[in-house]
Amino acid sequence: MTGRADAVAPAEPVAIVLAGGASRRFGRDKAAEPVGGVASLARVVAAAREVAGRVLVVGGAGALPEGAERVADLAPGEGPLQGALAGWRAAPGRAMWLLPCDLPLVTAAHLAWLGRALPEGVGGRVLRAGDGGPGPVPGFYGAEAAGAFERAWAEGRRSLRAALDGLAVELVDAGEVAAAGLDPRGLADFDTAEGLARLLSRR
């Protein structure tokens, strides 16, 4: 599956890639970590460019991959919600993929599958976390979901998960990714060097 899939929501959704984290657990910049000789951030941007109208990289100080635009963090050091809002405010009124910079095995096909048209009344599609709740990143959100993110921020809530309170989301899991003919590792991120090694060795 390549190119812009008809099933993806209309009006050219944007891809917002969060790259402003401190990577404390990893010990070095995850965005710049080479996988197969290509930085993790560059891999994410390359996949996103195939399906998104714009690719916005929020935060980070390293080299900006070709085809991406840099957006400054809204409130540096205050977590991923502010990064999501910084990107959304730079491209208002659009649906968006919200992606971390550490998805080294993601492909355009993964993003097209995640970003297929949302059911009526559903504001986003996200992976199911280990505790059964929503894992907000990576995810795909309709334009109307921006209001939920803005409300959470205005109320002083700083986690992405808190922003999903009151927003109907469709939860998907690794089994569904595999059933779609895709490698589930493509939507998996990493926090530590050991975690990256496990991700790359899994089959």
Side-chain angles (χ1 to χ4, degrees):
M1 190 173 189
T2 59
R4 299 174 190 273
D6 291 340
V8 172
E12 290 204 321
V14 299
I16 297 171
V17 185
L18 303 177
S23 301
R24 290 187 182 90
R25 292 178 62 190
F26 193 65
R28 53 187 181 272
D29 185 6
K30 290 195 289 185
E33 184 66 15
V35 176
V38 180
S40 181
L41 174 61
R43 285 175 167 270
V44 177
V45 168
R49 285 180 62 195
E50 293 194 46
V51 294
R54 295 170 66 188
V55 180
L56 308 177
V57 174
V58 181
L64 191 64
E66 182 181 355
E69 307 168 49
R70 180 89 71 191
V71 175
D73 278 305
L74 181 67
E78 292 200 32
L81 176 57
Q82 61 80 28
L85 284 174
W88 228 331
R89 290 177 183 181
R94 300 292 186 91
M96 72 161 177
W97 283 274
L98 184 59
L99 307 170
C101 64
D102 55 344
L103 289 179
L105 301 181
V106 72
T107 67
H110 287 97
L111 299 183
W113 179 81
L114 191 63
R116 64 198 187 279
L118 293 167
E120 178 93 21
V122 172
R125 179 178 293 113
V126 299
L127 293 186
R128 190 185 306 277
D131 64 1
V137 183
F140 181 78
Y141 298 91
E144 68 280 2
F149 283 56
E150 291 284 5
R151 282 191 298 275
W153 183 257
E155 292 166 1
R157 294 180 291 160
R158 293 297 181 255
S159 77
L160 275 171
R161 199 163 186 177
L164 301 189
D165 289 347
L167 180 70
V169 295
E170 178 183 313
L171 298 179
V172 296
D173 57 32
E176 291 172 80
V177 179
L182 301 169
D183 184 345
R185 298 179 302 162
L187 294 177
D189 60 6
F190 60 91
D191 290 319
T192 64
E194 294 77 12
L196 176 58
R198 284 195 300 272
L199 175 62
L200 297 180
S201 64
R202 260 174 27 209
R203 291 292 183 271

